[in-house]
Amino acid sequence: MNFLSTFVTFQNLHEVRRLCHWGPVIALSVIAICSTMAILDSIIWYWPLDTTGGSINFIMLLNWTVLILYNYFNAMFVGPGYIPHGWKPENQQDTQYLQYCRVCQGYKAPRSHHCRKCNRCVMKMDHHCPWINNCCGHLNHAYFTSFLLLAPLGCSHAAIIFIMTMYTQLYERISFGWSTVKIDMSAVRQFQPLVPFSVPAFAATLFALGLALGTTIAVGMLFFIQMKVILRNKTSIESWIEEKAKDRIQHYQTGEEFTFPYDLGTRWLNFKQVFTWSGMPKGDGIEWPVHPKCHQHTLTIEQLKQKADKRVRSVQYRAVEDYNGACCPLSKGLQTFFRTPCTEEPRIPLNKGDTILATRVGERVRGWFPRRCVEKCHYDTAASDSTSDKKVN
């Protein structure tokens, strides 16, 4: 037990259930396929026991696999860190600057947000990632970003192995005679490989190559996105809040000057807030170092202003068609069917005559329904107190 705890610390046994989700299943399958095929193809292409280069190649391949899995499982099981249920600031006067979470029955600390999937308020929430079936936040941001870096590097190495294996096996062959195997490389001794490179092996290598290249591009792009916000000491959500703050100031011509409070001035200082030698980020997830012009609640005050603005500018719609909440509503037309969001966002059933308030404030039901099922009301009822209204994003 002590041996296992040095690698992954489970908050409780229920955390293991995070593996039972399509995201981790697909991610771990891609890792398993690329790693297994790369190891087998390394034996065929560059036998590790004959040359120093072969040994280094094989050790590096195993190293990528171990590091990728280590950071992946830590990102999943360490988790982002959660605000305790019923949390409130020590100074009661600070509650006027904070949002209250009805689900967690407590206040949201600065930089925290409530995740519908985790059903908790998450410290310094960046986003909920389906590939780790957990949120990316304060405690696991470094592990998650390290995984995003290591996965493309490991897949790039694997892709080189796949390409070289197929090249050396097909080199100087007049036809696809798969009964014999020759490896024409001066750096490697001629030998009969333990794993014959047959037609199925060629197909499997080609498939693994496609996975490796696709992962390198897709995950590599995510890494650059994450590093962009980390070097500014932001999260993806906070970047969006800052953008809306500038739009709000410009729209109302208030003359305010919004300064993002958590940018410490240099990329290196911002970088060290997430990446440390101990592996744990700086701070307790509640209080944060801030810009000299700001204070702990600069961002939360801006969020409250944006919530109030959303309430004023909310739009009311009325349902003109019934909708049963189907995931892919083919009965609503092909255009609606193909434009259905490919997410786990809940579908909201509608009955003809229902009123829907499009807003992000107040008691609400988040979700999606076909746009053709509603029409905008031509009168101002945004301030209506009707308890039967459904409020959505």
Side-chain angles (χ1 to χ4, degrees):
M1 181 65 72
N2 291 333
F3 175 78
L4 292 176
S5 64
T6 60
F7 289 93
V8 176
T9 302
F10 291 97
Q11 190 175 26
N12 51 60
L13 292 178
H14 296 291
E15 291 293 315
V16 181
R17 294 188 298 179
R18 292 191 182 277
L19 292 168
C20 303
H21 183 265
W22 63 265
V25 170
I26 295 177
L28 291 174
S29 297
V30 172
I31 295 173
I33 292 173
C34 290
S35 298
T36 302
M37 289 304 303
I39 291 173
L40 294 177
D41 283 358
S42 290
I43 296 175
I44 297 176
W45 166 55
Y46 209 171
W47 180 247
L49 300 181
D50 283 350
T51 63
T52 302
S55 300
I56 294 175
N57 173 71
F58 198 77
I59 292 173
M60 285 184 61
L61 184 60
L62 296 178
N63 182 63
W64 292 129
T65 304
V66 171
L67 290 177
I68 288 171
L69 290 176
Y70 173 79
N71 285 280
Y72 179 84
F73 285 124
N74 271 290
M76 178 186 294
F77 294 122
V78 170
Y82 302 105
I83 302 297
H85 286 292
W87 180 86
K88 58 183 179 181
E90 295 181 1
N91 186 353
Q92 290 298 319
Q93 294 182 350
D94 290 341
T95 57
Q96 63 182 313
Y97 308 126
L98 301 174
Q99 300 179 69
Y100 186 80
C101 179
R102 294 182 176 87
V103 178
C104 297
Q105 296 295 306
Y107 288 92
K108 298 179 182 179
R111 310 192 80 176
S112 68
H113 302 273
H114 186 84
C115 175
R116 288 177 289 159
K117 299 297 182 182
C118 299
N119 205 31
R120 291 290 301 274
C121 285
V122 177
M123 295 178 177
K124 192 189 171 187
M125 179 177 175
D126 186 89
H127 68 286
H128 184 90
C129 178
W131 305 111
I132 62 173
N133 194 22
N134 206 341
C135 278
C136 174
H138 176 55
L139 296 181
N140 65 350
H141 205 172
Y143 290 121
F144 181 76
T145 308
S146 298
F147 166 73
L148 295 183
L149 171 63
L150 293 168
L153 292 177
C155 286
S156 298
H157 185 189
I160 294 174
I161 294 175
F162 298 147
I163 293 173
M164 292 304 300
T165 300
M166 290 188 291
Y167 173 75
T168 56
Q169 294 304 303
L170 300 178
Y171 185 68
E172 289 185 346
R173 292 193 178 188
I174 299 176
S175 62
F176 291 94
W178 302 98
S179 58
T180 60
V181 176
K182 280 187 176 181
I183 301 180
D184 185 18
M185 294 182 63
S186 58
V188 184
R189 181 178 60 84
Q190 299 285 343
F191 73 101
Q192 187 73 18
L194 298 177
V195 182
F197 196 74
S198 58
V199 173
F202 174 78
T205 299
L206 196 61
F207 176 71
L209 175 62
L211 286 180
L213 293 177
T215 302
T216 300
I217 297 172
V219 181
M221 292 176 62
L222 293 177
F223 169 73
F224 283 109
I225 293 174
Q226 283 297 310
M227 285 304 302
K228 183 179 179 180
V229 296
I230 287 175
L231 293 177
R232 298 175 182 177
N233 203 13
K234 297 179 183 178
T235 64
S236 300
I237 296 176
E238 289 168 350
S239 296
W240 182 49
I241 293 174
E242 183 183 27
E243 183 179 345
K244 290 200 300 179
K246 295 177 181 178
D247 291 340
R248 180 186 63 80
I249 293 172
Q250 183 178 7
H251 177 79
Y252 290 106
Q253 298 294 318
T254 61
E256 300 175 61
E257 181 182 353
F258 178 77
T259 301
F260 184 74
Y262 306 115
D263 189 344
L264 302 183
T266 66
R267 294 182 177 181
W268 177 241
L269 290 176
N270 293 335
F271 180 84
K272 290 194 298 182
Q273 291 296 307
V274 176
F275 294 94
T276 62
W277 289 111
S278 65
M280 299 303 294
K282 293 183 178 180
D284 58 1
I286 303 294
E287 295 186 0
W288 310 89
V290 296
H291 191 277
K293 295 182 180 180
C294 306
H295 55 82
Q296 287 293 324
H297 301 106
T298 298
L299 192 66
T300 59
I301 291 174
E302 174 58 33
Q303 289 178 263
L304 291 174
K305 291 180 180 180
Q306 293 180 12
K307 293 291 184 181
D309 184 43
K310 277 287 186 181
R311 182 181 288 110
V312 171
R313 295 200 285 174
S314 58
V315 180
Q316 192 164 14
Y317 294 87
R318 184 175 301 278
V320 295
E321 295 182 20
D322 292 335
Y323 169 55
N324 61 4
C327 181
C328 298
L330 184 58
S331 61
K332 299 302 179 182
L334 291 177
Q335 184 177 5
T336 300
F337 176 78
F338 287 111
R339 295 179 66 180
T340 301
C342 299
T343 65
E344 295 181 348
E345 193 171 14
R347 277 34 173 176
I348 300 178
L350 297 176
N351 294 317
K352 188 175 181 179
D354 286 348
T355 54
I356 303 96
L357 187 62
T359 180
R360 285 184 176 270
V361 300
E363 195 72 35
R364 63 192 182 277
V365 179
R366 291 177 178 263
W368 177 88
F369 53 82
R371 179 65 179 83
R372 59 169 289 175
C373 294
V374 298
E375 65 179 10
K376 184 177 179 180
C377 296
H378 298 288
Y379 49 87
D380 186 10
T381 57
S384 174
D385 293 328
S386 174
T387 58
S388 63
D389 286 356
K390 294 181 181 178
K391 300 181 180 182
V392 299
N393 292 325

